[in-house]
Amino acid sequence: MRSHVPSYNLESPGNLREVLKTIAAEPGVWRPFAGGTDLMVLLEAGKLPHKNYLNIWNLTELRGIEVTDQHVTLGALTTYTEVQQEKLFQIDFPMLCQAASETGGLAIQNRGTLGGNIVNASPAADSPPALLAYDAELELVSLKGARWVPYHGFHTAYKQMIIRPDELLTRIRLPRRTEKLQHYYRKVGTRKAQAISKVCFAGTAQVREEKIQDVRIALGSIAPVPLRCVQTEDALRGSPPNQIAIDRAMSVLANEIVPIDDIRSTSNYRHQVSLNLVADFLQQLRA
Amino acid sequence: MARLLDVLREQLHLTGTKEGCGEGECGACSVFINGKIVNSCLVPVAQVEGAEIKTIEGIATGNQLHAVQQAFIECGGAQCGICTPGMVLAAVDLLARNANPTDAEIRTGLAGNLCRCTGYIKIFESVVRACQR
Ligand SMILES: Cc1cc2nc3c(=O)[nH]c(=O)nc-3n(C[C@H](O)[C@H](O)[C@H](O)COP(=O)(O)OP(=O)(O)OC[C@H]3O[C@@H](n4cnc5c(N)ncnc54)[C@H](O)[C@@H]3O)c2cc1C
Ligand code: FES
Ligand code: FES
């Protein structure tokens, strides 16, 4: 049942410094409120125990996309619509565009942010596998200063992260690669739009001199956190892209993921689909 | 905190905007904020200070219906009417971005809107008709 909406407090400090001051002065009391597409659903369901929020939607410091030769840097408030509008992403980071286009419907894409998707920390979220496979880094900012951390390792356990209560996620940075990579992204859900994933797979690699190189694989909904599958990558790196490699990848991946049964799917189904997807990814590499 | 949806309906008495699910799934509460379609059940009113909000009440020009509204009437795109304001806004949004959408683009444009009555075919046909105007 819906919570009593007026009992929630949403303050709008107006700029980044004021937000950081407030969260530093009373650690844990205030939480950021971005597009609200996760928070308002919890509120509607009566499952939002925390009452005090700071509106960050209007912070211009957390918006915008910056491109250099080495990196693309996105403000944490970048929406799914903005991701899809950026022409360069279609070329350099197509899996992120695809994740954005398959997240919710258009109205959700206009409000949902990448920062919210990351810090909401759902293991079923759709952008994290793409961000992991693209070696994303996150900028965490507090009054004490800013630090860049690799996204790989940011989620430590179910809904646990290394971000401190006095920190805000401000930017997301993706290294631009010069290698000619192939990109493979698949979201498996109940319907095309508005459905939460049962399994989500992101993989990039290239075949050079008949060998698999620069392979990166990440999956969603198959572990307590979005998972970069380093063991599967290690098993593939340097091998020819043949059936032996596919069989090996499937058997390593089978031990690397720990899917569960829940309302959306079963452990068995997720397990099998994950293996099928890694096989399909490698088949496409061969083709 | 107050939801934009409640402020529109209960304080401003703009009851064209409907509530279906209250959780972003159905699109009945769709409005435009600064020209972008959003679900007003998910938007706290504090976040729209200074923004331009357009609801279904603002789609017709005086007594002149929008081509999308006219097409919904002609094609039987509305039955109980609860989803209709959201469907109309989704179609208006689509046509503003893309005057000649493919069938797949129409489906994507309406994907965030649920209807429990029509079975969608007549809604789809309404949008096709509106495109031909
Ligand atoms: C109908 C519907 C469909 C959806 N479909 C999908 C889907 O297909 N795939 C998917 O992955 N998700 C989906 N979602 C979930 C949601 O839209 C995304 O997770 C979205 O990216 C959340 O962003 P937000 O800005 O709305 O987050 P909010 O709800 O504002 O915040 C989410 C959490 O992140 C924290 N937070 C937000 N920004 C920051 C920041 N900058 N620094 C620190 N903490 C921060 C908040 O405190 C909160 O805990 C869907 C939601 C709905 C309602
Ligand atoms: S009432 Fe807002 S999306 Fe259903
Ligand atoms: S006409 Fe009744 S829900 Fe669509």
Side-chain angles (χ1 to χ4, degrees), chain B residues 78-84 115-118:
Chain B
Q79 286 185 23
C80 81
I82 293 288
C83 73
T84 314
C115 175
R116 300 299 298 270
C117 304
T118 63

Side-chain angles (χ1 to χ4, degrees), chain B residues 24-108:
Chain B
E25 295 284 346
C26 76
C29 66
S30 298
V31 302
F32 290 114
I33 299 180
N34 292 333
K36 294 203 177 81
I37 196 162
V38 306
N39 299 316
S40 63
C41 67
L42 300 181
V43 179
V45 76
Q47 290 189 324
V48 300
E49 202 175 301
E52 185 193 285
I53 316 284
K54 190 172 195 173
T55 66
I56 186 68
E57 284 88 352
I59 295 300
T61 313
N63 286 332
Q64 181 71 42
L65 292 182
H66 188 284
V68 170
Q69 293 171 309
Q70 192 60 44
F72 268 69
I73 294 171
E74 289 167 15
C75 299
Q79 286 185 23
C80 81
I82 293 288
C83 73
T84 314
M87 289 289 181
V88 168
L89 289 199
V92 168
D93 177 53
L94 171 68
L95 295 190
R97 286 180 289 110
N98 179 354
N100 272 310
T102 62
D103 287 3
E105 286 165 343
I106 295 176
R107 287 198 182 89
T108 305

Side-chain angles (χ1 to χ4, degrees), chain A residues 223-279:
Chain A
V225 297
L227 194 69
R228 175 83 182 258
C229 298
V230 283
Q231 293 166 26
T232 309
E233 294 173 7
D234 287 345
L236 285 167
R237 198 169 294 114
S239 350
N242 53 24
Q243 192 57 45
I244 301 169
I246 293 176
D247 292 343
R248 191 167 56 241
M250 289 172 80
S251 79
V252 175
L253 186 65
N255 290 311
E256 199 166 16
I257 59 176
V258 277
I260 57 166
D261 290 333
D262 67 10
I263 49 164
R264 280 187 290 279
S265 188
T266 63
S267 167
N268 270 344
Y269 178 83
R270 290 182 159 121
H271 197 88
Q272 190 58 53
V273 169
S274 302
L275 303 193
N276 293 351
L277 289 174
V278 79

Side-chain angles (χ1 to χ4, degrees), chain A residues 136-179:
Chain A
E137 299 166 293
L138 308 180
E139 184 189 46
L140 306 177
V141 173
S142 72
L143 276 190
K144 295 181 192 129
R147 55 176 178 146
W148 281 98
V149 299
Y151 182 40
H152 181 35
F154 176 78
H155 300 285
T156 52
Y158 179 70
K159 296 254 176 189
Q160 302 294 308
M161 292 155 274
I162 61 170
I163 189 169
R164 299 191 310 255
D166 68 334
E167 283 178 319
L168 214 56
L169 167 58
T170 45
R171 292 190 289 171
I172 302 149
R173 184 163 75 188
L174 304 174
R176 295 179 69 189
R177 304 203 174 281
T178 46
E179 310 95 273

